[in-house]
Structure formats: C-alpha cells, structure tokens
Amino acid sequence: MPAVLNFPELSPVLFEINLGPIHFALHWYALAYIGGFLIGWGLILRALKTTRLWPDDTPPMQRAEFEDLLTWLILGVILGGRLGYVLFYKPAYYLAHPVEIPMVWQGGMAFHGGFLGVIIAAFLWGRKHHKPLLSLGDLLAMATPVGLLLGRIANFVNAELWGKPWDGPWAVIFPGGAAQACSNVGPLCARHPSQLYEAGMEGLILGTLILTLVWLGGAFKRPGLIMGLFFAGYGISRFIVEFFRQADAQFVTAANPNGAVFAGLQMGQLLSLPMILLGLFFMIRAKRA
C-alpha cells in the first residue's frame, strides 16, 4: 500500500465532566466557534480604536453599537445557515418533514446560507442606524477568516467533510464506515485532507493577506475593498478545494459519482461563483475615500 498517514488519535471532545445527572462536554468544534468569535471580536474592537485606518479617521461605529450589531449577526448566522442547508442541500427531505427545519441541534448548517444571513443582518442594522455599509462590510470581512481557519481544523479533528480517495504522500486514512466506503483502493481508503486545504486557503492565506492590507496597506480607506477581497478569496478557495473534497452524499449516484449539480459543478462550486463575481465587483469599484 502507498505511504499514507493514519488519522491521529484525536477525540472530538476536549474534555467532559460528569456530576451525577449533569453531563458537560466541550467539543473542539464548539471551541473553534468560541475562539473564532473571541479573536474576531478582538480584531474588530482593535480596528475601531485605531482611527488612522478609516476614511477621515472616523470608524464606522462605536464599541456599544458593535455589541448591539452582534445580536443581529448571531441571528443571521443561525437562521441563514439553517435555511441555506434546507434550501440548497435537502429541500425535498425538509419539504416532507417541515417540523424538523428548526431542529438545528440535529446538525445541518450551510456556510453560504450563514454568510448570506450575516450580509442581510448587517445590511438591515446598518440601514437602521445610518452606517456606512461598505466600511461595515470591510470590518466584518477582516474578522471572518480566523473563524474559518479554526472551524476547518475542527472539521479535521472531527474526521468529517473529508476529501476524495487518494494515495498521495499526505493522504489520510479517516476512521468510520462512510470514510472507508471506497471502491478499488485496497483494504484501507486514504483521502485528501481537504479540511486542511480549506483551513490554509480560506483561513491562513486569505486572513494573512487581509490583515496585512488593513494594518499596513490602508485598505479600509478604500471602502468595499476588503469585503470584495474576502468574497472573491473565499469563493476561489472553495471552488478549488471542491475538486478534492468528497461531494455531498445526497448528490452522489451511480450515474453521477462526482456529485455534480449543474454543468459538472458541485454545489459548493455553484454557490461560490456569485461570491467571486460579487467580490470582483466590489474590489473594482472601491475607491479611496
């Protein structure tokens, strides 16, 4: 068998506590959300304090206003992520079982839906409070990649959202019957660690570029530039990674093993195309304020 990597002995639970009938478990995925939220919050507060970053040295909001916006954003993520999953990935199932739509604890959230939910929430809040929408979008885009980085690492720890079968030098043998359900690959199925590809592209590389442009390149003085860069950067990263990522099971059939949904594209690629176009639009029209 080619030289591949066994999945490290990682538990999806960081620690758990049992006190009689009370059971508490902290999962790495929850920790990734918490860490991404706190780091992103810190970045935003630091940027709001640093007036030199903004057009006319005027940040788009104050700290108290940002804390009010957070409530809107959290609702946008939850509602958008869930509805996106329902509409994009399993519309037939949830049409037949509508009572399960609000059951988010059963799993099933879509990044593109959550992303759209955040945009709508931020837009409505910004219009209500008469804030500069492009600068508001730049601020949120700056803080997002760190959450993507941590979230994709948590996906790897959870041994989920793995890639297509592969026998290359860093292929990983993920545990579980679904991950091992490969044909014509030998006794064990190794796969692309596509979660780490996404962590590197959507999180580390895109985040580093954005932070460098914000803090050293004066990018916030061109409203819409960072938001556009994030849209396009995420879209391009996700589009590329989908070539290595296992297609969503609900789209895979014997006649469609690659899970294409339109013109040979997988759902993640199809949903990323509007992000790329929108991002390029905002980057091209961004002008120094």
Side-chain angles (χ1 to χ4, degrees), residues 110-172:
F111 171 82
H112 291 89
F115 171 77
L116 185 59
V118 166
I119 291 178
I120 293 173
F123 175 81
L124 293 176
W125 184 90
R127 288 291 298 270
K128 178 181 178 181
H129 296 278
H130 308 289
K131 298 298 180 181
L133 297 178
L134 292 178
S135 290
L136 179 59
D138 287 340
L139 188 66
L140 298 177
M142 177 198 66
T144 302
V146 65
L148 294 175
L149 170 64
L150 296 176
R152 294 310 184 189
I153 292 175
N155 288 146
F156 179 81
V157 172
N158 288 346
E160 61 187 3
L161 303 182
W162 14 257
K164 296 177 179 178
W166 186 51
D167 61 359
W170 57 84
V172 176

Side-chain angles (χ1 to χ4, degrees), residues 9 31 39 45 70 83 99 106 115-116 122 144 160-162 169 173 190 196 199 229 233 237 263 271:
E9 294 185 9
L31 190 63
I39 296 172
L45 293 182
L70 277 179
L83 291 176
V99 70
Q106 293 184 353
F115 171 77
L116 185 59
T144 302
E160 61 187 3
L161 303 182
W162 14 257
I173 300 173
L196 300 184
L229 176 59
S237 299
L271 296 175

